[in-house]
């Protein structure tokens, strides 16, 4: 209720200030350049650069006010997805070897595939159940994705962009060619990525390797599950190379009460960080389960959090919100520092190999998986932009096609993995 009232206040504010941009852009370009060259704008030079861009086409006052008004009715596809995904969609269940029936949540699935206690057949069954959860809801999820994509495309057109990609890139001041460059780099690197997968299969002695086998290590070292407090201490030690001030800021956030640590029944999956207000420390969400990858996640999300805290402390208000494009540098750096620390302090080659495997897996997930997702996202946005409609099974076919392209012959995918796209929240943002 409080959040709805705050949102209504935002809409009212947007309505009241909708006259400003059109009036500024109505001035001749020469006049705008003269005005914004004043030393008054020295600290705003980047923030106001669009006003002196001869190619910028602003919305008119009526269109600006209309868009501000209808903003209260936008964003529901994602909100509905959240409620469906995290509250209402039931998890499928599996009978554990001891006879216990358990829901195949993300935490249960990780427990199974990262454990040496279960057979390949059992891991395969858990994988099927994990990805089949979305299938009965495929039509609804597809429509939510379509609704979100149409909202984004409509917004792009209203703001004089020819595609959602151009709009999205411009929001971060990134040339759309960067997207093409990254996809090209991913395709050029696929042979090396698949060579890594083949080496992994050889190390495990597998003739056929599946996605769930990636939870198994060639190394004989196994740290077991690590308590959260010990995990935080490990991360702090690993990041101490960044200096006392960094660690002091890290500690102020991690002990602030702004960190939600453990998974619950209706909690968002994965992990994220957000700066809700510049007056408060950042908020962080984990789903800590004690695995090595969960410790790396602490380093990752706290990289975001400290970066936000530093931006708030050191930047003027107009520049206090780092974009995703730079945010991921801070977080990935922290993960690499954590794994480097663990390798440097390994007691023997088996322990060092264990953490090296984690680094390679992280690189595959951080770069190649994200590029695969980016290609999939570009695919369904182009369908919308060409006047088409999304279809759940067609999307699943495309998702499987890209999965097989990126994995090659090094990794065999179970048929159910084709529905993996349906529960990736970033597609619905």
């Amino acid at each position: 209720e409080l959040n709805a009232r705050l949102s209504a206040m935002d809409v009212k504010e947007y309505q009241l200030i909708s006259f400003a941009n059109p009036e500024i852009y109505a001035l001749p370009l020469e006049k705008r350049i003269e005005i914004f060259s004043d030393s008054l704008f020295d600290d705003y030079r980047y923030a106001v650069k669009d006003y002196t861009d001869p190619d910028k086409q602003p919305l008119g006052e009526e269109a600006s006010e209309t868009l501000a008004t209808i903003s209260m009715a936008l964003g529901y596809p994602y909100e509905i997805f959240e409620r469906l995904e995290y509250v209402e969609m039931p998890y499928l269940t599996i009978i554990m070897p001891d006879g216990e029936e358990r829901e195949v949540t993300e935490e249960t699935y990780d427990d199974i595939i990262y454990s040496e206690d279960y057979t390949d057949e059992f891991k395969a069954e858990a994988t099927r159940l994990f990805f089949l959860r979305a299938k009965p809801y495929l039509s609804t999820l597809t429509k939510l994705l379509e609704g979100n994509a149409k909202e984004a495309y409509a917004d792009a057109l209203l703001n004089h962009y020819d595609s959602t990609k151009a709009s999205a890139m411009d929001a971060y001041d990134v040339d759309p060619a960067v997207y093409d460059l990254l996809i090209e780099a991913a395709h050029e690197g696929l042979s090396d990525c698949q060579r890594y997968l083949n080496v992994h299969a050889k190390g495990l002695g597998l003739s056929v390797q599946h996605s769930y086998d990636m939870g198994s290590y060639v190394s004989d070292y196994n740290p077991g599950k690590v308590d959260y407090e010990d995990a935080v201490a490990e991360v702090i030690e690993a990041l101490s190379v960044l200096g006392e001030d960094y660690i002091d800021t890290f500690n102020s956030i991690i002990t602030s009460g702004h960190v939600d640590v453990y998974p619950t029944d209706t909690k968002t999956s994965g992990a994220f960080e957000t700066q809700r207000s510049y007056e408060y420390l950042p908020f962080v969400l984990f789903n800590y389960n004690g695995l090595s990858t969960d410790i790396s996640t602490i380093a990752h999300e706290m990289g975001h959090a400290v970066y936000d805290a530093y931006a708030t402390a050191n930047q003027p208000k107009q520049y206090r919100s780092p974009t995703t494009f730079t945010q991921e540098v801070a977080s990935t750096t922290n993960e690499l520092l954590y794994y480097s620390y663990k390798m440097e302090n390994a007691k023997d080659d088996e322990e060092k190999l264990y953490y090296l495997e984690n680094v390679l897996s992280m690189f595959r997930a951080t770069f190649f998986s994200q590029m695969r997702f980016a290609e999939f996202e570009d695919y369904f946005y182009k369908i919308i932009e060409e006047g088409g409609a999304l279809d759940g099974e067609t999307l699943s076919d495309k998702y499987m096609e890209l999965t097989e392209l990126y994995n090659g012959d090094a990794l065999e995918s179970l048929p159910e993995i084709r529905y993996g796209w349906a529960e990736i929240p970033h597609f619905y943002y």
Side-chain angles (χ1 to χ4, degrees):
E1 172 64 18
L2 179 58
N3 195 53
R5 289 164 61 190
L6 289 168
S7 296
M9 291 169 66
D10 281 341
V11 171
K12 186 64 176 175
E13 179 186 1
Y14 298 149
Q15 290 172 323
L16 291 172
I17 65 172
S18 62
F19 72 92
N21 268 354
E23 285 197 11
I24 294 170
Y25 279 108
L27 296 170
L29 177 62
E30 294 76 13
K31 186 64 177 178
R32 281 181 270 147
I33 293 173
E34 177 191 338
I35 291 171
F36 291 109
S37 296
D38 193 289
S39 59
L40 176 71
F41 294 101
D42 283 350
D43 289 338
Y44 291 82
R45 196 69 60 207
Y46 183 79
V48 300
K49 63 182 178 59
D50 283 353
Y51 292 127
T52 56
D53 182 351
D55 297 324
K56 195 71 178 177
Q57 298 183 60
L59 290 175
E61 181 174 353
E62 186 177 353
S64 296
E65 187 172 352
T66 299
L67 196 56
T69 303
I70 66 170
S71 65
M72 70 177 75
L74 302 177
Y76 279 94
Y78 173 65
E79 290 193 27
I80 294 168
F81 165 79
E82 274 197 317
R83 281 150 184 76
L84 185 62
E85 171 73 8
Y86 303 121
V87 181
E88 295 179 347
M89 272 173 59
Y91 288 98
L92 302 182
T93 59
I94 193 169
I95 304 299
M96 303 296 289
D98 62 3
E100 177 193 3
E101 184 177 19
R102 287 179 64 179
E103 292 183 332
V104 188
T105 63
E106 190 168 329
E107 290 69 41
T108 299
Y109 181 62
D110 284 350
D111 276 342
I112 292 172
I113 67 166
Y114 284 105
S115 172
E116 300 172 358
D117 299 333
Y118 304 108
T119 65
D120 284 350
E121 291 75 17
F122 188 74
K123 290 182 178 183
E125 179 62 13
T127 301
R128 291 188 186 95
L129 293 170
F130 183 74
F131 286 100
L132 277 174
R133 179 188 180 220
K135 187 178 181 183
Y137 304 88
L138 206 62
S139 177
T140 299
L141 291 165
T142 301
K143 276 300 172 186
L144 293 175
L145 186 64
E146 181 176 280
N148 187 76
K150 285 185 174 180
E151 278 189 14
Y153 184 43
D155 183 77
L157 291 177
L158 282 170
N159 285 283
H160 308 294
Y161 295 101
D162 59 3
S163 69
T164 43
K165 187 198 296 181
S167 174
M169 297 294 118
D170 193 50
Y172 297 122
D173 200 20
V174 175
D175 191 316
V178 171
Y179 171 92
D180 300 318
L181 179 70
L182 288 169
I183 297 298
E184 181 182 343
H187 285 200
E188 288 179 0
L190 282 181
S191 59
D192 285 326
C193 182
Q194 291 162 14
R195 186 163 66 91
Y196 151 64
L197 294 173
N198 281 319
V199 170
H200 183 266
K202 183 179 180 181
L204 294 177
L206 298 173
S207 57
V208 178
Q209 181 172 236
H210 292 89
S211 60
Y212 53 80
D213 290 314
M214 298 310 295
S216 298
Y217 290 84
V218 175
S219 167
D220 292 330
Y221 176 78
N222 185 350
K225 288 201 171 185
V226 179
D227 288 341
Y228 173 70
E229 290 74 16
D230 294 335
V232 170
E234 273 191 14
V235 172
I236 289 173
E237 182 64 27
L239 300 183
S240 61
V241 294
L242 296 174
E244 289 184 15
D245 183 74
Y246 190 96
I247 298 304
D248 287 345
T249 305
F250 182 108
N251 278 321
S252 68
I253 298 168
I254 205 83
T255 60
S256 64
H258 287 198
V259 181
D260 189 336
V261 178
Y262 300 104
T264 62
D265 288 344
T266 57
K267 183 177 174 181
T268 301
S269 64
F272 68 82
E273 176 271 348
T274 183
Q275 178 92 326
R276 299 302 295 172
S277 167
Y278 301 133
E279 298 174 34
Y280 303 102
L281 290 169
F283 289 81
V284 185
L285 178 144
F286 301 131
N287 277 281
Y288 189 77
N289 199 27
L291 299 171
S292 175
T293 51
D294 294 323
I295 305 176
S296 174
T297 297
I298 293 174
H300 181 107
E301 297 304 331
M302 289 302 296
H304 289 315
V306 176
Y307 184 28
D308 262 337
Y310 273 0
T312 298
N314 294 287
Q315 295 272 42
K317 287 183 180 180
Q318 62 271 21
Y319 301 135
R320 283 181 182 174
S321 297
T323 69
T324 301
F325 197 74
T326 56
Q327 267 282 16
E328 294 305 325
V329 178
S331 57
T332 306
T333 296
N334 274 14
E335 287 191 86
L336 291 171
L337 286 173
Y338 168 69
Y339 283 130
S340 295
Y341 166 82
K342 296 301 290 185
M343 285 189 285
E344 288 167 7
N345 291 276
K347 296 180 179 62
D348 53 39
D349 285 348
E350 287 300 312
E351 183 177 353
K352 187 173 183 178
L353 175 59
Y354 174 86
Y355 287 107
L356 177 59
E357 288 187 70
N358 275 282
V359 172
L360 292 168
S361 178
M362 168 199 161
F363 185 80
R364 175 172 171 255
T366 303
F367 181 66
F368 288 101
S369 293
Q370 294 302 324
M371 292 305 100
R372 175 165 59 91
F373 294 160
E375 283 201 71
F376 179 75
E377 193 168 19
D378 193 45
Y379 165 77
F380 70 72
Y381 269 105
K382 282 178 177 173
I383 291 175
I384 296 301
E385 291 165 2
E386 292 167 4
L390 301 185
D391 171 76
E393 292 298 339
T394 305
L395 288 172
S396 301
D397 289 342
K398 184 64 177 181
Y399 188 78
M400 197 65 163
E401 175 191 319
L402 287 168
T403 298
E404 291 174 346
L405 170 68
Y406 274 73
N407 292 337
D409 296 332
L411 206 62
E412 189 170 300
S413 298
L414 295 174
E416 294 80 5
I417 287 176
R418 68 197 306 273
Y419 302 116
W421 65 268
E423 293 189 79
I424 297 175
H426 291 72
F427 293 151
Y428 300 88
Y429 284 173

